[in-house]
Amino acid sequence: MGKEIISKIDTKKFAIIILVLASFYIIVFQKTNIGFQAGHNGFLSSHGITIAKNLSSKHNFLMFHKMSLDKEGNSIYSAYNSFPITTFAIIKLSMLPFPDNLSNQIFIARKIILLFFCSGMFIAFFIFFEFTKKALLSLSVVLFSYSSFYLTFYNDMIFNDVMTLFACLLIVYGFIIYSKYGKFKQLIVKVLIGISFGWQVYALLFPYIAIDFFIKIKNERSIKAVFKSNLFKLAIIAFIYGTVLLGINLVNEQKMTGNSFKELSTFKSAKIRLGADDELNREFQSKLSWGNFIFQQTDRIFHTIVPHGIFSITNNNKSVKNIKRVFVLLSLLFCSIFIYYSKERQLLITLFSFGFIWSFPMRHFTFFHNFQSIYYIGISMIFYLALIKSISKLKHSYYYIFYVLLFSLITFYYSNNILNRSKIRYSQSNNWITNDFQNIYDKIGKGNTIFIDGEYSTIAGGRHAVAFYLSGNYIQDKIESSEYII
């Protein structure tokens, strides 16, 4: 009887219905913050939505977050042109129906991000369903993995990260379809889409392609096999496409700002991220040491694996930190053993190493941005896949996977509900600020010069919130050159 019941619900169709319901719960019932709170979520959300809102043919589709006028009346742009334009263009398109309503612009932008968040869950399910052909197992892995603090807290952050995570999972799905069915053209399309969303994709492509090269050299005893392979062609295509996208950004920024290439925002950003900024290195020398960084990443991996509903991120005294480190060490060892005995070793190694390959070379960036921990999701997925499969070998019960699914659903709901309650608490004051700036915007419109009599980066919550609220106006550094004072 038990076997019959489980066989009826252990289907792709049933799992998709559960994912649809989970997505509906998140998109419809999660509190939408119509403003920008302090901290990373508000900082990046205000930044991303400002970049998106400023995209227009008038400014040659330059990505920037603030503009001002010099003495001659020329526009000076504070450019942030380091990323592919795709994600910001999608956000811009979503806001077009609400050209003068600030609240609706924020609301729809957050819903678009949540839509990509939920779409990532579907792609993750398809990955593990192809891998295991077990719907309830795959669904449970996804629900547990999407219950971490970082994913539940940052699931509506208006920047490119949630969208890029979706793109990365899309590429992983492309890998498994290519390895099983040989659909190379489909893989190329997925990779090009992924690169169009964010550079993090390269940290995913590198291990998968490198492992393929190693296997070919080992098996065929010739490097020529590498040059003839499909994945070598893919590497060339990915490199050229990314270079073209970045080149377009650089040329456009140079044209619009008049700066030399060394002064462009992309180069300044790369200098900081790659640890070539001497001033930053001196200021944060102790924090950026490898030992301190590794301990920090250990803590983040712990909260990527363990659902927020089970273990709060605020529980962080010394003894707890030591427990976390031991847990992560054992978890990584457990995952490594599982990968070693798996038939899909190449794919699992790629998922496992992806977060490390992105975070560690970029430690001068990832150290200060905990939301980058969402890219450790591969570790979490492998951990739950290995754990559920390992326990199932010990407990031969037809109902076992049903209990696992039930626990994963409760965990997913409880973890998201906890974070949702916190979003409700701080959203009210942010909504008031948005309403205040709506009144200002309705009175003065666009094209004005404005002086901010206060701390620009904090008076409206998120660091770039003022620039969003007053988009289309010129934010001046001196009161003498301004028509309005706020």
Side-chain angles (χ1 to χ4, degrees):
M1 185 67 178
K3 187 175 182 180
E4 292 177 4
I5 294 172
I6 297 302
S7 64
K8 285 182 180 180
I9 65 172
D10 194 7
T11 63
K12 192 174 182 179
K13 183 178 180 179
F14 177 81
I16 289 174
I17 291 172
I18 296 297
L19 286 174
V20 168
L21 292 174
S23 300
F24 181 81
Y25 162 69
I26 290 174
I27 295 173
V28 175
F29 293 105
Q30 179 169 303
K31 176 64 180 178
T32 304
N33 181 11
I34 313 298
F36 311 101
Q37 74 273 27
H40 279 118
N41 198 319
F43 176 2
L44 269 295
S45 291
S46 65
H47 198 189
I49 198 171
T50 304
I51 293 171
K53 190 174 181 179
N54 288 336
L55 285 176
S56 72
S57 56
K58 180 181 177 180
H59 305 294
N60 209 36
F61 297 101
L62 176 70
M63 289 182 280
F64 68 95
H65 52 81
K66 187 173 72 171
M67 63 179 181
S68 57
L69 292 176
D70 62 15
K71 293 179 180 179
E72 288 75 36
N74 299 313
S75 297
I76 302 173
Y77 298 99
S78 297
Y80 199 82
N81 217 37
S82 310
F83 297 101
I85 196 173
T86 308
T87 53
F88 303 104
I90 292 171
I91 296 168
K92 171 74 173 186
L93 288 172
S94 73
M95 295 191 294
L96 288 179
F98 315 103
D100 300 312
N101 191 306
L102 300 175
S103 295
N104 284 351
Q105 289 171 1
I106 301 171
F107 179 86
I108 195 65
R110 291 199 185 277
K111 294 302 182 184
I112 287 294
I113 299 299
L114 285 175
L115 184 63
F116 275 90
F117 173 82
C118 294
S119 299
M121 291 197 298
F122 281 88
I123 300 298
F125 167 76
F126 294 142
I127 289 169
F128 285 96
F129 183 75
E130 282 293 334
F131 183 63
T132 65
K133 294 301 179 183
K134 295 181 179 180
L136 297 187
L137 170 62
S138 303
L139 178 60
S140 300
V141 168
V142 172
L143 292 174
F144 279 128
S145 299
Y146 269 76
S147 299
S148 74
F149 167 79
Y150 299 110
L151 280 169
T152 52
F153 184 69
Y154 291 112
N155 63 6
D156 63 348
M157 186 175 76
I158 311 171
F159 210 72
N160 75 330
D161 290 278
V162 172
M163 291 185 177
T164 304
L165 179 62
F166 159 80
C168 289
L169 292 170
L170 184 67
I171 291 174
V172 173
Y173 185 56
F175 287 155
I176 198 166
I177 293 299
Y178 170 68
S179 65
K180 283 195 166 189
Y181 310 111
K183 294 186 177 181
F184 181 58
K185 290 182 180 179
Q186 191 180 118
L187 177 60
I188 292 175
V189 172
K190 287 182 171 71
V191 168
L192 295 182
I193 291 172
I195 295 171
S196 299
F197 277 57
W199 307 128
Q200 292 91 332
V201 164
Y202 286 101
L204 189 68
L205 291 174
F206 174 76
Y208 191 81
I209 294 175
I211 293 168
D212 185 77
F213 289 174
F214 175 78
I215 292 171
K216 280 185 166 50
I217 293 172
K218 182 182 177 182
N219 292 343
E220 302 189 29
R221 303 288 182 180
S222 172
I223 199 169
K224 290 181 180 179
V226 169
F227 298 127
K228 293 179 181 179
S229 69
N230 282 336
L231 290 189
F232 180 77
K233 297 174 187 175
L234 180 67
I236 298 298
I237 292 170
F239 175 77
I240 293 174
Y241 184 64
T243 302
V244 170
L245 289 182
L246 184 59
I248 291 171
N249 283 3
L250 294 174
V251 171
N252 190 35
E253 183 179 346
Q254 199 279 328
K255 177 184 176 181
M256 295 300 292
T257 63
N259 294 331
S260 66
F261 277 99
K262 288 185 178 179
E263 295 174 324
L264 297 182
S265 63
T266 300
F267 287 110
K268 291 180 179 178
S269 177
K271 186 177 179 181
I272 293 171
R273 284 162 167 73
L274 297 175
D277 188 309
D278 294 333
E279 185 178 342
L280 181 75
N281 293 342
R282 283 193 299 270
E283 184 178 354
F284 298 100
Q285 185 176 6
S286 60
K287 290 185 177 180
L288 288 170
S289 66
W290 277 109
N292 194 52
F293 177 75
I294 290 171
F295 282 141
Q296 181 208 58
Q297 296 305 299
T298 302
D299 185 80
R300 291 181 181 179
I301 292 171
F302 176 88
H303 288 289
T304 301
I305 296 174
V306 180
H308 185 61
I310 294 176
F311 198 101
S312 172
I313 196 167
T314 57
N315 193 346
N316 216 23
N317 59 52
K318 188 175 180 180
S319 60
V320 170
K321 284 182 178 180
N322 291 331
I323 293 171
K324 287 180 180 180
R325 290 163 187 171
V326 172
F327 175 85
V328 170
L329 185 63
L330 293 175
S331 297
L332 296 180
L333 179 62
F334 176 57
C335 291
S336 300
I337 294 170
F338 177 78
I339 292 170
Y340 181 80
Y341 288 103
S342 172
K343 293 179 181 179
E344 296 287 349
R345 200 177 301 171
Q346 182 178 0
L347 181 71
L348 292 179
I349 290 174
T350 301
L351 267 174
F352 182 80
S353 62
F354 165 48
F356 293 113
I357 293 173
W358 172 250
S359 296
F360 276 63
M362 300 275 285
R363 85 179 195 276
H364 291 79
F365 167 67
T366 55
F367 180 88
F368 299 101
H369 297 83
N370 66 359
F371 59 88
Q372 293 296 310
S373 303
I374 65 176
Y375 300 112
Y376 284 126
I377 191 173
I379 298 173
S380 177
M381 288 174 168
I382 294 171
F383 174 82
Y384 286 109
L385 177 66
L387 183 65
I388 296 170
K389 291 188 76 172
S390 298
I391 296 175
S392 68
K393 293 178 180 179
L394 301 175
K395 191 171 182 62
H396 300 286
S397 170
Y398 296 124
Y399 292 108
Y400 164 72
I401 192 62
F402 175 77
Y403 295 139
V404 170
L405 175 62
L406 186 62
F407 184 46
S408 69
L409 282 167
I410 294 170
T411 302
F412 179 81
Y413 169 78
Y414 185 58
S415 298
N416 279 276
N417 192 49
I418 289 175
L419 267 301
N420 193 34
R421 290 203 301 269
S422 70
K423 290 177 182 180
I424 291 172
R425 283 196 300 271
Y426 60 63
S427 63
Q428 188 173 11
S429 59
N430 297 325
N431 296 353
W432 292 339
I433 293 171
T434 301
N435 291 335
D436 287 342
F437 273 95
Q438 182 70 61
N439 292 331
I440 294 170
Y441 177 83
D442 291 340
K443 289 181 180 180
I444 68 174
K446 298 180 181 179
N448 308 290
T449 52
I450 300 171
F451 177 76
I452 305 300
D453 185 18
E455 186 60 44
Y456 167 84
S457 62
T458 60
I459 64 169
R463 184 171 183 176
H464 299 281
V466 171
F468 164 74
Y469 293 132
L470 302 176
S471 177
N473 291 287
Y474 300 93
I475 311 298
Q476 302 296 101
D477 294 329
K478 295 182 180 179
I479 194 170
E480 296 82 7
S481 61
S482 304
E483 299 167 276
Y484 294 96
I485 302 172
I486 297 178

